[in-house]
Amino acid sequence: MSADPRRRRLLGAIGLLFANTRPALAGVLRETPRQSAGPFYPVDLPLDDDSDLVHVMGRAEPAAGKIADLTGRIVDRNGKALTGLRVEIWQCDANGRYRHPRENGDRPVDPGFQGFGHTVSDHRGRYRFRTIRPVPYPGRTPHIHVAVFPPGQAPFVTQLYVAGEPRNETDFLYQRVPDDQRRLVTAPFRPSGTAENTLTADWDIVLGVSPTT
């Protein structure tokens, strides 16, 4: 889907990697570090691309893996909510397979996992996804790709990592994030306490843009 202007803006944003290396001023939040979109952003977005990645339209069986609720806020450097922004995530399934024609793993694709989803930040800047705890991909630590689309600006692209994951220590992209900024792209995935075998992760995204409202 190379004609999709959203896709063109996302791919163009790769050239802005690691632009935020300056220290935060007192009382001002530090911006979330940018990272690569990777090679597996969907060529064609799925028809079912809502915020629930563990249930695919027309299938009764949910996704394999540990179900996780990913929530948080999108704010500017002053902590003010950024509302009405499109947020996208994409990741491999529990078998380590992406939904992409260039992905050629030898394990079966999980038909119950959507692989990609989107939502829009609400009046408090909040977003929510139902997905799975990310799993390792060959050569990579578990991670979730994230893109946010501020109007009139290049997309903000990064990756979210699992706190306490041993593979983080040897992941080449995680290690490129300065030590004092890694906490900004890392979140614990903890038992939710409300549903059996369900995890929860809370992760705020800080952008260097002005509020839209």
Side-chain angles (χ1 to χ4, degrees):
M1 191 175 286
S2 57
D4 187 339
R6 183 177 65 251
R7 178 176 172 80
R8 291 201 305 270
R9 287 191 295 139
L10 186 147
L11 296 177
I14 295 175
L16 300 176
L17 297 181
F18 311 114
N20 175 44
T21 57
R22 61 188 182 278
L25 301 175
V28 177
L29 299 175
R30 172 168 276 180
E31 295 171 34
T32 304
R34 294 177 180 268
Q35 285 214 294
S36 168
F40 297 132
Y41 184 79
V43 173
D44 296 305
L45 300 186
L47 294 177
D48 188 359
D49 72 343
D50 58 11
S51 61
D52 183 353
L53 280 68
V54 304
H55 294 97
V56 174
M57 187 184 307
R59 290 192 61 87
E61 189 71 19
K66 295 182 179 178
I67 306 302
D69 280 322
L70 173 61
T71 62
R73 298 181 70 221
I74 303 175
V75 298
D76 68 8
R77 297 186 71 212
N78 296 311
K80 188 166 185 178
L82 296 173
T83 66
L85 300 191
R86 180 181 174 96
V87 188
E88 297 179 352
I89 67 170
W90 63 101
Q91 66 188 100
C92 64
D93 63 25
N95 294 328
R97 298 293 306 274
Y98 280 94
R99 300 295 185 280
H100 194 280
R102 290 174 54 195
E103 205 285 314
N104 57 2
D106 55 6
R107 300 188 67 186
V109 170
D110 177 10
F113 186 61
Q114 194 167 285
F116 171 94
H118 89 277
T119 189
V120 176
S121 59
D122 69 12
H123 67 285
R124 294 188 297 156
R126 292 197 63 83
Y127 70 89
R128 180 183 179 185
F129 289 96
R130 173 63 66 91
T131 186
I132 62 171
R133 182 195 188 279
V135 303
Y137 183 80
R140 292 299 316 280
T141 193
H143 61 283
I144 298 174
H145 296 272
V146 182
V148 183
F149 295 80
Q153 301 185 39
F156 170 83
V157 183
T158 192
Q159 298 180 31
L160 172 64
Y161 299 89
V162 179
E165 170 58 56
R167 295 174 182 84
N168 293 346
E169 300 304 314
T170 56
D171 186 84
F172 71 104
L173 283 177
Y174 188 77
Q175 292 300 313
R176 285 182 184 175
V177 181
D179 289 352
D180 64 343
Q181 297 184 40
R182 288 175 188 165
R183 61 181 177 81
L184 304 176
V185 290
T186 310
F189 282 69
R190 301 189 176 102
S192 66
T194 58
E196 187 177 0
N197 298 323
T198 299
L199 305 176
T200 184
D202 192 77
W203 177 56
D204 292 344
I205 302 171
V206 181
L207 305 184
V209 300
S210 301
T212 58
T213 58

